[in-house]
Amino acid sequence: MDAFTSSFDSQSRNIWSYDTLKNFRQISPIVQAHLKQVYLTLCCALIASAVGAYLHILWNIGGYLTTFACLGTIIWLLSTPPCEEQKRVSLLMASAVFEGASIGPLIDLAIQIDPSVLVASFVGTALAFACFSGAAMLARRREYLYLGGLLSSGLLVFVGYMIVDTQDIIEKAHLGDLDYVKHALTLFTDFVAVFVRILIIMLKNSAEKSEKKKKMRD
């Protein structure tokens, strides 16, 4: 899934440059309104993803089928004209549900091993995004958006694409691209990718600590 999302975002990232990242022009009210709509849609997608993960825990539906269903709905969304807004939003929510079900097995494993790891992973990922959300709604200059992400998040390695994609979305909005559904999809794939990576790392650390404790007892 990560390989697909990486290739999906490759075209938009190819047009990004260091000059784009350091472009600190003022964010116009139209772009600020667009960012609010993007982040609101992102929040809805995350809720839908949580529902998908919960459905897996209940009925064990996550797997290859839901992964292919997620890919299919994303392709369908991208091939749907922007004028069909309601349909595209519905497809985004459907893809989020399928994505949540697809990572359901990992979430289920985390719950069985240590539920606090799951909570910490989500909070860490959410904080990395919250800095951009708050800056997008309050700041009038893009430099605050960029610096806010650096200062409020310690996960610089993981949030690199968040910075790039957020700057890219702002730049496209300035150029007239106000496709909030597609932009929310981009940030959603970033969020899930970061969350999964953080969760795996924390699960490994938790397992190593458990093994050390067992050895000490023996």
Side-chain angles (χ1 to χ4, degrees):
M1 183 64 189
D2 289 343
F4 174 82
T5 55
S6 297
S7 62
F8 156 65
D9 290 331
S10 61
Q11 291 183 347
S12 63
R13 285 170 183 154
N14 285 339
I15 66 173
W16 170 84
S17 64
Y18 182 74
D19 292 335
T20 301
L21 184 63
K22 298 293 291 181
N23 187 355
F24 290 156
R25 291 181 302 174
Q26 286 190 349
I27 300 177
S28 67
I30 294 178
V31 175
Q32 288 190 34
H34 173 68
L35 288 174
K36 291 178 183 179
Q37 197 169 22
V38 169
Y39 280 103
L40 177 61
T41 307
L42 171 63
C43 290
C44 293
L46 291 175
I47 293 173
S49 182
V51 170
Y54 182 68
L55 291 177
H56 167 79
I57 294 174
L58 289 179
W59 296 315
N60 194 31
I61 62 174
Y64 289 111
L65 184 61
T66 54
T67 299
F68 287 128
C70 179
L71 298 179
T73 51
I74 289 176
I75 294 173
W76 190 1
L77 187 159
L78 296 177
S79 62
T80 302
C83 59
E84 299 183 33
E85 181 179 348
Q86 186 174 358
K87 179 180 178 181
R88 298 177 83 240
V89 171
S90 299
L91 288 172
L92 175 60
M93 297 304 122
S95 66
V97 171
F98 290 132
E99 176 68 17
S102 299
I103 64 174
L106 179 63
I107 293 177
D108 193 18
L109 177 63
I111 292 174
Q112 294 178 18
I113 295 177
D114 186 359
S116 65
V117 171
L118 177 63
V119 176
S121 299
F122 180 80
V123 170
T125 309
L127 286 176
F129 264 88
C131 61
F132 293 108
S133 179
M137 295 183 182
L138 298 177
R140 292 191 59 83
R141 293 187 63 84
R142 198 174 313 170
E143 60 204 275
Y144 298 139
L145 183 68
Y146 176 68
L147 294 177
L150 288 178
L151 295 175
S152 61
S153 172
L155 303 172
L156 297 183
V157 175
F158 298 101
V159 302
Y161 276 134
M162 297 181 192
I163 298 173
V164 173
D165 286 334
T166 302
Q167 291 288 315
D168 188 50
I169 288 171
I170 294 173
E171 184 68 16
K172 287 181 176 179
H174 272 293
L175 297 176
D177 182 0
L178 300 177
D179 188 351
Y180 73 92
V181 179
K182 183 178 179 180
H183 294 166
L185 174 62
T186 299
L187 294 182
F188 174 73
T189 56
D190 284 343
F191 190 102
V192 173
V194 171
F195 171 71
V196 168
R197 286 176 174 84
I198 293 176
L199 182 57
I200 291 174
I201 290 173
M202 296 193 70
L203 283 175
K204 289 181 178 179
N205 292 338
S206 179
E208 290 176 358
K209 290 181 180 178
S210 297
E211 290 180 2
K212 288 181 180 179
K213 288 182 180 179
K214 289 181 180 178
K215 290 181 180 179
M216 292 178 64
R217 291 176 182 176
D218 295 338

